[in-house]
Amino acid sequence: MIYVIGGRGRLGRAIAGSYPACDVEILERSVYEDWWQSGSDSRIRRYFEGAPPGSSVAVTAGVLDPAAPEAEHRRVNVELPANIIAGACAARLRVLTFGTVMERLIAHPNAYVASKAELGRIVAERAAAGDPVVHAQVHTLYGGGTPSPHMFVGQIAHALRQKVPFEMSPGRQLREYHHVDDEVAAVHALLETGLAGVVTLSHGAPCTLRDLAAHVFAAFGRQELLRIGARPEPPDDNYATVLQHPTWLAHVDFRPALPGVATYLQELLSDVQQQA
């Protein structure tokens, strides 16, 4: 059995949908919404005590928007999963949490990245102590619904739908874009390995934001909307590091980012595409 905490989000829905209905349980928010509170680990342990042997908990609930209050990031991204780790591991379940590759790529993290980095440190400590817990650092996800408005692809979608200029930096930042269905395949591979601690789900083929934007706007025939270099380049970002593609992900067929994102947006904005 796999228990999904945060089944309403993009990744949570995709993970839950990849298992037979009889093998997955999506916890209602009312069940876990106060599990962040101190002392909740004993209640969490009792909740999972009847789970079948070999069961896992996937904690996909999280606050992603860097503009959200720091206290909210800490409550949902650190305290909630930390208590779930303590309670579920005590009930002999394996726990999978999710973070971001930016935990290891930038020197001055925002509230979101900082909270995920703290969670990663907690997982590393628990794993070193022998607990079956793993923290997956993921790249940028797309697919599986509408993109978040604070994300780069979400801002591109807004510009295309509204037919307004899209202003961006010179776009030298490196990013891996993973379709959420490919990421789910990577999650299955990770669970099969039995790894513990902090791992990165990388395919090792990043693109620049400039190339991604240029490809998407060209696919829509709206190159005139793209304003590369209209905004300053962020000083603290990833401009050179390419993360390794682990051998245990070799069988996962990640689709190429440029055509993948373009196709996703064309399907999402089919009405805009027809008017171009």
Side-chain angles (χ1 to χ4, degrees):
M1 181 72 71
I2 185 163
Y3 299 86
V4 179
I5 298 175
R8 297 179 183 178
R10 185 186 316 275
L11 184 57
R13 289 195 311 269
I15 290 175
S18 70
Y19 287 90
C22 59
D23 292 338
V24 62
E25 180 178 327
I26 303 173
L27 276 68
E28 294 292 334
R29 176 177 282 185
S30 59
V31 172
Y32 65 82
E33 63 184 356
D34 64 347
W35 280 2
W36 62 272
Q37 296 176 350
S38 178
S40 296
D41 54 314
S42 59
R43 287 191 293 125
I44 297 169
R45 176 181 54 78
R46 288 194 297 272
Y47 183 90
F48 288 115
E49 275 182 342
S55 295
S56 300
V57 182
V59 187
T60 61
V63 176
L64 306 180
D65 188 350
E70 185 174 347
E72 186 177 355
H73 280 284
R74 178 164 185 80
R75 182 169 63 250
V76 181
N77 293 351
V78 181
E79 294 168 352
L80 172 66
N83 285 341
I84 292 170
I85 290 168
C89 286
R92 299 185 178 179
L93 274 72
R94 188 178 186 199
V95 181
L96 171 62
T97 67
F98 292 90
T100 168
V101 296
M102 288 301 177
E103 296 169 39
R104 61 176 63 201
L105 293 177
I106 58 177
H108 305 287
N110 57 34
Y112 165 66
V113 177
S115 67
K116 290 297 188 177
E118 183 173 355
L119 174 59
R121 289 190 291 270
I122 292 171
V123 169
E125 291 173 359
R126 299 289 306 222
D131 286 329
V133 57
V134 61
H135 180 70
Q137 295 175 330
V138 304
H139 290 267
T140 308
L141 302 180
Y142 69 95
T146 304
S148 300
H150 69 275
M151 300 293 286
F152 188 70
V153 170
Q155 294 164 5
I156 289 178
H158 172 79
L160 288 167
R161 180 173 291 282
Q162 300 300 321
K163 300 181 178 62
V164 297
F166 180 74
E167 296 183 345
M168 60 175 288
S169 73
R172 296 188 307 111
Q173 303 96 312
L174 290 177
R175 293 288 188 275
E176 284 192 22
Y177 275 83
H178 295 191
H179 192 283
V180 67
D181 291 341
D182 301 340
E183 199 75 349
V184 168
V187 169
H188 280 270
L190 172 59
L191 290 174
E192 289 169 6
T193 65
L195 289 171
V198 179
V199 301
T200 302
L201 303 183
S202 298
H203 56 50
C207 62
T208 65
L209 293 184
R210 177 191 183 108
D211 287 348
L212 179 69
H215 186 92
V216 169
F217 279 91
F220 277 82
R222 301 310 301 259
Q223 295 95 321
E224 78 280 1
L225 295 178
L226 183 56
R227 305 282 196 272
I228 295 175
R231 295 189 178 182
E233 187 170 78
D236 188 16
D237 211 307
N238 179 32
Y239 296 101
T241 303
V242 176
L243 296 176
Q244 183 180 4
H245 183 196
T247 56
W248 52 267
L249 280 180
H251 67 285
V252 176
D253 188 17
F254 290 95
R255 63 202 75 184
L258 301 189
V261 173
T263 298
Y264 159 64
L265 288 176
Q266 286 171 326
E267 294 172 352
L268 186 72
L269 305 174
S270 57
D271 54 333
V272 174
Q273 179 78 348
Q274 291 167 4
Q275 297 168 14

